[in-house]
């Protein structure tokens, strides 16, 4: 079985991880037969709670992805949008401070560092 592991470091509330899950489904339909792990880590436990819930308001959805993907991969729950169940088993979240010693992580095929470096000074 093919395996791919993608890590979104400093994932905040998790939209990037769910976007990767959607892109895989859209462009690589055979990936459902693969062993897929999409890992999102962040320092903020508050942000991680939202990431784990996979729920976003209209503004968060509108600025992150095209409406056709919203209706395809999310379902309306009250005033929020919830990530579709088929993506959730592949997505994991956990706390991690990138500025200190890391615990042992699994081997990664791709590491996404969107918006990480802008928060650090040169020595960090």
């Amino acid at each position: 079985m093919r395996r791919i592991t993608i890590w979104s470091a400093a994932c905040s509330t998790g939209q990037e991880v769910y976007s990767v899950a959607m892109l895989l489904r859209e462009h690589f339909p055979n990936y459902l037969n693969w062993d897929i792990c999409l890992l999102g880590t962040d320092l903020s436990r508050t942000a991680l709670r939202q990431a784990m819930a996979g729920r976003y308001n209209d503004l968060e959805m509108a600025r992150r992805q095209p409406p056709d993907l919203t209706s395809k991969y999310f379902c309306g729950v009250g005033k929020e949008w919830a990530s579709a169940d088929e993506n959730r088993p592949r997505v994991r979240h956990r706390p991690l401070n990138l500025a200190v010693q890391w615990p042992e992580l699994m081997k990664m095929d791709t590491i996404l560092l969107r918006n990480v470096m802008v928060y650090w000074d040169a020595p960090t």
Side-chain angles (χ1 to χ4, degrees):
M1 176 180 282
R2 291 180 133 179
R3 177 179 171 86
I4 187 168
T5 304
I6 300 173
W7 175 23
S8 173
C11 73
S12 186
T13 55
Q15 288 100 323
E16 183 173 65
V17 179
Y18 292 112
S19 294
V20 170
M22 290 184 296
L23 289 172
L24 287 171
R25 288 185 65 88
E26 286 292 304
H27 299 287
F28 303 98
N30 291 332
Y31 104 101
L32 293 175
N33 299 323
W34 295 13
D35 179 13
I36 303 289
C37 178
L38 304 172
L39 175 64
T41 62
D42 201 272
L43 175 63
S44 169
R45 291 183 186 269
T46 301
L48 282 174
R49 276 193 291 280
Q50 182 177 356
M52 287 184 238
R55 289 186 169 211
Y56 305 96
N57 64 37
D58 285 333
L59 177 61
E60 291 166 322
M61 294 300 286
R63 67 178 184 208
R64 296 289 184 211
Q65 67 190 25
D68 60 320
L69 291 181
T70 297
S71 62
K72 189 171 183 179
Y73 294 107
F74 284 81
C75 56
V77 178
K79 294 183 178 185
E80 295 181 314
W81 292 91
S83 175
D85 290 339
E86 65 263 16
N87 286 331
R88 299 187 63 76
R90 292 171 169 76
V91 175
R92 297 182 183 108
H93 293 93
R94 66 186 217 195
L96 181 66
N97 183 347
L98 296 173
V100 300
Q101 180 72 36
W102 302 352
E104 187 171 325
L105 296 171
M106 63 190 93
K107 181 181 175 190
M108 303 292 169
D109 296 295
T110 303
I111 300 172
L112 305 170
L113 296 168
R114 182 175 180 254
N115 292 328
V116 172
M117 303 304 268
V118 298
Y119 295 105
W120 289 356
D121 58 14
T124 304

